[in-house]
Amino acid sequence: MRIKIGTKIRELRKEKNISQEVLAQYLNVSFQAVSKWEQEITLPDLELVPAIAAFFDVSTDELLQCNRLETDKKVERICNTAYRYRMDAPERAEEILREGLRQFPGNEILLNNLLYVIRGPERSSEVISLCTTLVRSAKQEDVRLDALRILAQTYWETGRQELVLPTLEQIPEIYFTKLELCAQLLEGNAALDAAEQQIIVSLEHLLTMLRRVKELTQESDPQRAARCEDAARTVAHAMEGYDPKLFCAAFFSDAVRQLAGRQES
């Protein structure tokens, strides 16, 4: 069944007594484009769907007239499938996610996952555009914050340092995580699963910060840099026998070797 998003846009626009010109100005498109959407001649770009939903203060599921629960289940399956290819075959992961977006246009979870496979200097403009859309219109706060994080990282990678701090200042400083609280306050397997997942998250953060301190002190304080590398090696050694079922073992092993300054034999 074809999604009649244009019909829904027209209904919402008339319900709120808003002209095509006002909607077009908000989306930075021509009013002719809006007119073509409403006549079902063309569809909005996928990246515009969250912004359209935000403009009318509805969810993307309502805009697309989808069943929310069923959509969430299907989107989760798509993301899980794409994740398996994220490290070794990002092109395949992107194909899976874009196919999902054809089925669920503008879904912010799929768009958020897409950001992880279109990284790189040659696609920085695409990343920035998508991040900006999600920052402005994502309904889920974790999606919006992740988009801010990736946006700041992309500005840094592309030498736009003057935009890094203003972007980071939009991210609140949080000293706890949901996983950490679940591990502390729940019981049984729920607490155990949360604790083990938090170990991986915390370990990745620790190794990343050790690497960063090493980079920053390599010339000014070589001894301190060496201590950071030694600490990373110690952590890596301690985690070598950790249960590989809890995470993507290949990714973790590679990350540990890189952060600890190891080389493949």
Side-chain angles (χ1 to χ4, degrees), residues 25-254:
Q25 184 176 16
Y26 174 81
L27 298 171
N28 196 28
V29 300
S30 67
F31 77 89
Q32 291 95 336
V34 175
S35 177
K36 288 181 178 179
W37 301 340
E38 294 186 355
Q39 296 177 67
E40 302 292 350
I41 297 173
T42 61
L43 292 172
D45 290 341
L46 295 179
E47 290 78 6
L48 286 176
V49 174
I52 296 171
F55 180 82
F56 290 116
D57 195 26
V58 298
S59 68
T60 55
D61 290 320
E62 183 177 348
L63 182 64
L64 299 171
Q65 303 172 74
C66 299
N67 179 292
R68 176 66 181 274
L69 182 59
E70 188 62 28
T71 295
D72 287 349
K73 291 180 179 178
K74 290 180 179 179
V75 166
E76 183 178 8
R77 286 197 293 269
I78 293 168
C79 291
N80 288 341
T81 302
Y83 181 78
R84 293 201 294 268
Y85 295 96
R86 182 185 291 180
M87 296 305 300
D88 298 326
E91 298 85 0
R92 176 58 181 147
E94 181 177 354
E95 289 176 5
I96 293 168
L97 292 168
R98 290 200 181 278
E99 178 61 33
L101 284 165
R102 282 189 283 274
Q103 186 177 0
F104 304 106
N107 183 278
E108 62 189 50
I109 301 299
L110 291 172
L111 290 172
N112 182 225
N113 276 262
L114 187 62
L115 286 171
Y116 285 84
V117 296
I118 62 172
R119 306 294 296 275
E122 70 282 358
R123 305 188 71 175
S124 60
S125 296
E126 185 179 357
V127 172
I128 290 170
S129 175
L130 180 52
C131 283
T132 302
T133 296
L134 289 173
V135 167
R136 182 173 66 174
S137 58
K139 295 293 185 181
Q140 299 187 45
E141 185 68 359
D142 57 337
V143 171
R144 191 183 75 84
L145 293 177
D146 199 33
L148 281 168
R149 179 187 64 81
I150 294 173
L151 182 59
Q153 179 75 22
T154 304
Y155 283 146
W156 177 79
E157 290 172 348
T158 55
R160 303 170 70 176
Q161 193 67 33
E162 73 281 0
L163 297 175
V164 174
L165 183 57
T167 302
L168 292 176
E169 286 178 336
Q170 298 178 63
I171 302 175
E173 192 70 66
I174 300 176
Y175 297 97
F176 57 86
T177 69
K178 179 181 177 180
L179 285 173
E180 179 185 353
L181 293 176
C182 286
Q184 293 176 348
L185 303 179
L186 299 181
E187 299 294 338
N189 288 335
L192 178 60
D193 290 345
E196 290 181 321
Q197 291 180 57
Q198 183 62 50
I199 286 172
I200 304 306
V201 173
S202 298
L203 181 60
E204 182 181 350
H205 291 171
L206 172 62
L207 291 170
T208 300
M209 290 302 102
L210 285 170
R211 180 181 63 179
R212 186 59 176 151
V213 173
K214 176 185 173 183
E215 291 172 351
L216 293 170
T217 59
Q218 192 81 54
E219 295 184 4
S220 61
D221 192 347
Q223 290 185 340
R224 185 177 181 184
R227 287 197 299 272
C228 287
E229 182 171 341
D230 288 343
R233 289 179 183 276
T234 300
V235 171
H237 178 71
M239 296 301 295
E240 280 179 345
Y242 208 71
D243 190 349
K245 297 191 296 296
L246 298 174
F247 49 87
C248 179
F251 167 74
F252 181 76
S253 298
D254 289 344

